[in-house]
C-alpha cells in the first residue's frame, strides 16, 4: 500500500464547476497535510495546508481533513482554465520532518 | 525576493558519467531539501539539510549520490557514476521551518541518463 494515494486522473470539469480532488494516507499518526499545485515544467507551489479535522477555506479553495478516515480533499470552486494543473497531496508523517507525496491528480478545466 | 533556483534545468549525460546539480535556496532558509521524481512515480524525499548539517539522508538511493551544503548556503547533489535509473527530475526545496512544512520548491533539474 502506498503511503499517500491519489487518483491520477485526468479529472475534467467545465469552467465554473466545483473540482473535487481526493487523497488518502496510510500513517494514522500523520499530523500535517498539504496540497501543492504544479503546472507542467514548473515547481510545485503550496496552495493549502491543514492540520486539524474539518474544513479550511482560502478563497476558492477548501481543504477538508478527516483523520478517522485518513482522508484529505481539496475543493476548487468556480474552476477556471488557469486551474488546470497537477495537484499533489503531501503528508508530513509522524516519524520524520519530510513530506511524502502522492503521485498527483491531473485537473483539466474546460472553457 | 528570489525563489529557489536550480541549475542546470536539464542535463543529458551518458551512463557512467558524473553530474552535479546545484540549488540556491531562499536567503535565510536554514532548511534545504532534495526530492526526486522519476517518470510516472511520486516525488520522493532524498535528504534534508539544516544549515550545513545533514539532518536526514534516509532517502538517498545509494552511495553514488553525494550531497553537500558547504557554509549552509547553496547545495550540490552529485551523481557519480550515473545509471539509467537515475533519470528524473531533481527538486530542491527550502523552508524556514524544519518540520517539513511550507516548502518552497525550485523548478527542478531534469536529468536524462542515456
Amino acid at each position: 500500500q502506498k503511503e499517500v494515494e491519489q487518483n491520477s486522473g485526468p479529472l475534467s470539469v467545465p469552467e465554473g464547476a466545483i473540482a473535487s480532488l481526493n487523497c488518502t494516507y496510510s500513517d494514522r499518526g500523520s499530523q500535517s497535510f498539504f496540497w501543492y499545485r504544479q503546472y507542467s515544467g514548473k515547481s510545485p507551489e503550496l496552495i493549502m495546508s491543514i492540520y486539524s479535522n474539518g474544513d479550511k477555506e482560502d478563497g476558492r479553495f477548501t481543504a477538508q481533513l478527516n483523520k478517522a478516515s485518513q482522508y484529505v480533499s481539496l475543493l476548487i470552486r468556480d474552476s477556471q482554465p488557469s486551474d488546470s494543473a497537477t495537484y499533489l497531496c503531501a503528508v508530513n508523517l509522524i516519524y520524520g520532518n519530510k513530506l511524502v507525496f502522492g503521485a498527483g491528480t491531473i485537473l483539466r478545466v474546460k472553457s | 525576493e528570489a525563489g529557489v533556483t536550480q541549475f542546470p534545468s536539464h542535463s543529458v549525460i551518458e551512463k557512467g558519467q558524473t553530474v552535479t546539480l546545484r540549488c540556491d535556496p531562499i536567503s535565510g532558509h536554514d532548511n534545504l531539501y532534495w526530492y526526486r521524481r522519476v517518470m510516472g512515480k511520486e516525488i520522493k524525499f532524498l535528504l534534508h539539510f539544516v544549515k550545513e548539517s545533514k539532518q536526514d539522508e534516509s532517502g538517498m538511493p545509494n552511495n553514488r549520490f553525494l550531497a553537500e551544503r558547504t557554509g549552509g548556503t547553496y547545495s550540490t547533489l552529485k551523481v557519480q557514476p550515473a545509471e539509467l535509473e537515475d533519470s528524473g527530475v531533481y527538486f530542491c526545496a527550502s523552508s524556514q521551518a524544519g518540520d517539513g512544512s511550507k516548502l518552497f520548491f525550485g523548478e527542478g533539474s531534469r536529468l536524462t541518463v542515456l
Side-chain angles (χ1 to χ4, degrees):
Chain A
Q1 180 188 11
K2 292 184 178 180
E3 291 174 298
V4 179
E5 296 212 49
Q6 295 180 255
N7 187 322
S8 62
L11 172 66
S12 292
V13 299
E15 183 176 356
I18 295 175
S20 177
L21 304 160
N22 305 314
C23 169
T24 58
Y25 59 94
S26 61
D27 184 353
R28 186 170 290 277
S30 299
Q31 298 294 315
S32 311
F33 308 87
F34 307 90
W35 284 98
Y36 284 81
R37 177 178 62 199
Q38 186 178 22
Y39 295 112
S40 181
K42 298 297 184 182
S43 57
E45 175 193 9
L46 179 66
I47 54 172
M48 288 291 286
S49 59
I50 187 165
Y51 303 93
S52 54
N53 279 330
D55 295 0
K56 178 181 177 182
E57 187 174 318
D58 183 0
R60 295 186 297 112
F61 299 102
T62 299
Q64 300 174 317
L65 174 62
N66 183 328
K67 289 186 177 180
S69 300
Q70 294 173 240
Y71 177 91
V72 192
S73 65
L74 178 71
L75 301 178
I76 306 175
R77 289 182 299 282
D78 189 23
S79 295
Q80 301 296 310
S82 58
D83 295 326
S84 298
T86 298
Y87 288 81
L88 303 165
C89 174
V91 176
N92 195 343
L93 303 182
I94 193 170
Y95 54 79
N97 295 326
K98 58 193 178 190
L99 293 183
V100 178
F101 284 86
T105 298
I106 298 170
L107 174 65
R108 293 182 182 151
V109 181
K110 300 177 182 177
S111 57
Chain B
E1 178 184 289
V4 177
T5 56
Q6 293 188 244
F7 182 83
S9 58
H10 192 187
S11 181
V12 181
I13 62 173
E14 303 254 332
K15 175 182 172 181
Q17 290 186 319
T18 298
V19 64
T20 300
L21 310 177
R22 172 171 169 145
C23 169
D24 286 78
I26 292 172
S27 178
H29 283 190
D30 288 339
N31 295 275
L32 185 149
Y33 302 80
W34 283 98
Y35 285 82
R36 175 175 76 169
R37 185 170 198 164
V38 297
M39 182 71 75
K41 302 274 188 174
E42 303 87 357
I43 296 174
K44 285 194 177 291
F45 170 84
L46 295 179
L47 88 160
H48 170 204
F49 282 100
V50 178
K51 295 185 180 179
E52 68 275 9
S53 299
K54 291 175 185 174
Q55 180 79 10
D56 181 352
E57 53 183 331
S58 61
M60 295 288 264
N62 50 59
N63 60 10
R64 295 186 293 102
F65 289 75
L66 175 64
E68 295 181 320
R69 192 182 182 195
T70 306
T73 54
Y74 71 90
S75 175
T76 58
L77 180 64
K78 181 192 288 188
V79 185
Q80 179 183 30
E83 298 288 345
L84 299 179
E85 64 264 25
D86 300 332
S87 295
V89 181
Y90 290 76
F91 289 103
C92 176
S94 71
S95 72
Q96 289 183 318
D99 60 358
S101 66
K102 292 186 172 59
L103 300 188
F104 293 85
F105 280 83
E107 293 196 344
S109 291
R110 179 175 295 277
L111 173 63
T112 302
V113 183
L114 302 177

